[in-house]
Amino acid sequence: MSGLSQHPLVSRAEEVADEVLRRTKTILPTLARLCLISTFLEDGIRMYFQWNEQREYMDISWGCGKFLATMFVIINLFGQLGGCFMVLLRWKVDIACALLFGIVCMQTVAYSILWDLQFLFRNLALIGALLLVLAESRQEGKSLFAGVPTLGDNKPKSYLQLTGRILLVFMFATLLRMEFSFMQPLHYTEQFLQILQNVVGSVLMLLVTVGYKTKLSALILVVWLTTLNFYLNCWWTIPGYKAMRDFLKYDFFQTLSVIGGLMMVVSLGPGGVSMDEHKKKW
């Protein structure tokens, strides 16, 4: 990949990315956290306004009775809203992430997401984004003795960043489209663009996963995924009485959370377990 790193276009793109980071370094972490918790915030608010509908859905789906169905809604309501405010205020972030992680796991089982790969992959990506928030909250390891420097990297933080990057890939797996038809010549252009989108997206995903040109790759993915999200999941254009509005709204905020995770990658960098870090030792 050394040839890629020396390419003038890549070098110029890295300069642009560095300039963007310099100009946004004070607001990028906050914006990343806000985007990341957006899906939990929206779902918590939805639990409040759709209290009866959610209770009835759980009672009918699981036959668990009104009490357990009500408890499910209460846990989702206060757990998600509480976790969101804790993350935004940077107060007990580890507890907040554990709380939101528990909500994701509970919803995965309650809504039978385990049997739907697309929803399961998106929840895994959401967990990856939470791990990146947890990594951001961890301070570099302190020496046991004042004035004595620590040796080595903060390994837990590095592994959190690595796992978070890997899990974010699952979101992009749900965006890859494999619908090809050779019976409709008029659609050749659309098919070519679709293939191009899949290839470019897959390459960028791979670069983020292994931690090569990480900040640049993640920044491109932020722009690309944001564009796709506002184009494909424009729920605000759908009338409120149509069920499609809720589906698009769900997709929009989940994707926004993963965009927040990618912003966190841009802000934090790849961490110790990455090709970018190992290149410094060569």
Side-chain angles (χ1 to χ4, degrees):
M1 294 185 179
S2 58
L4 176 62
S5 63
Q6 296 171 359
H7 195 283
L9 287 178
V10 176
S11 299
R12 178 55 182 162
E14 287 186 308
E15 292 175 5
V16 172
D18 288 339
E19 182 63 24
V20 171
L21 289 178
R22 279 193 293 271
R23 292 179 178 273
T24 62
K25 64 180 181 180
T26 57
I27 63 170
L28 187 59
T30 301
L31 181 61
R33 289 194 303 275
L34 182 60
C35 288
L36 195 145
I37 58 95
S38 62
T39 189
F40 297 105
L41 190 61
E42 186 276 331
D43 195 56
I45 294 173
R46 183 169 58 87
M47 288 290 170
Y48 176 79
F49 285 103
Q50 297 181 359
W51 179 279
N52 290 327
E53 293 90 334
Q54 292 296 323
R55 282 196 312 166
E56 291 175 2
Y57 175 82
M58 292 307 302
D59 189 17
I60 294 172
S61 298
W62 290 92
C64 56
K66 293 292 184 183
F67 176 76
L68 290 179
T70 301
M71 289 303 299
F72 173 82
V73 177
I74 290 175
I75 292 172
N76 274 274
L77 171 61
F78 290 103
Q80 291 185 105
L81 294 182
C84 287
F85 286 114
M86 290 169 71
V87 167
L88 286 177
L89 297 174
R90 295 190 178 188
W91 182 69
K92 303 288 186 182
V93 176
D94 52 344
I95 296 176
C97 288
L99 184 61
L100 295 175
F101 173 78
I103 295 291
V104 172
C105 293
M106 182 174 67
Q107 290 188 352
T108 300
V109 175
Y111 294 128
S112 301
I113 291 174
L114 280 171
W115 318 119
D116 189 317
L117 281 182
Q118 179 170 345
F119 286 108
L120 178 61
F121 280 5
R122 294 196 174 192
N123 274 11
L124 289 173
L126 202 55
I127 291 172
L130 285 174
L131 290 178
L132 291 170
V133 171
L134 190 58
E136 188 217 15
S137 72
R138 296 185 67 91
Q139 298 296 323
E140 292 294 333
K142 296 181 179 179
S143 173
L144 294 176
F145 303 98
V148 180
T150 56
L151 298 176
D153 299 323
N154 186 339
K155 292 299 183 182
K157 180 177 179 179
S158 295
Y159 289 129
L160 281 173
Q161 288 175 266
L162 172 63
T163 307
R165 293 199 318 269
I166 293 173
L167 290 178
L168 284 180
V169 171
F170 284 100
M171 167 57 73
F172 299 99
T174 67
L175 297 176
L176 297 179
R177 299 177 58 193
M178 302 298 180
E179 303 167 2
F180 302 109
S181 171
F182 297 100
M183 302 301 293
Q184 298 176 336
L186 293 178
H187 292 171
Y188 284 163
T189 302
E190 292 181 8
Q191 291 180 9
F192 172 76
L193 292 175
Q194 182 178 313
I195 294 172
L196 182 64
Q197 174 181 303
N198 289 348
V199 171
V200 173
S202 298
V203 170
L204 291 172
M205 284 190 296
L206 178 62
L207 292 177
V208 170
T209 304
V210 301
Y212 182 76
K213 302 292 182 185
T214 314
K215 290 188 177 182
L216 174 60
S217 301
L219 187 59
I220 294 173
L221 282 172
V222 166
V223 175
W224 178 57
L225 193 55
T226 301
T227 303
L228 283 180
N229 197 30
F230 277 88
Y231 177 72
L232 297 176
N233 298 321
C234 47
W235 56 270
W236 52 89
T237 64
I238 307 297
Y241 61 86
K242 291 190 176 181
M244 181 58 68
R245 180 186 175 93
D246 284 338
F247 284 111
L248 291 179
K249 195 174 185 181
Y250 173 84
D251 284 351
F252 178 87
F253 282 102
Q254 277 221 327
T255 306
L256 193 60
S257 289
V258 176
I259 291 171
L262 285 167
M263 287 181 181
M264 201 67 75
V265 172
V266 175
S267 177
L268 290 176
V273 187
S274 64
M275 290 186 65
D276 284 344
E277 187 66 23
H278 285 292
K279 278 169 53 183
K280 300 176 183 178
K281 304 174 184 179
W282 294 351

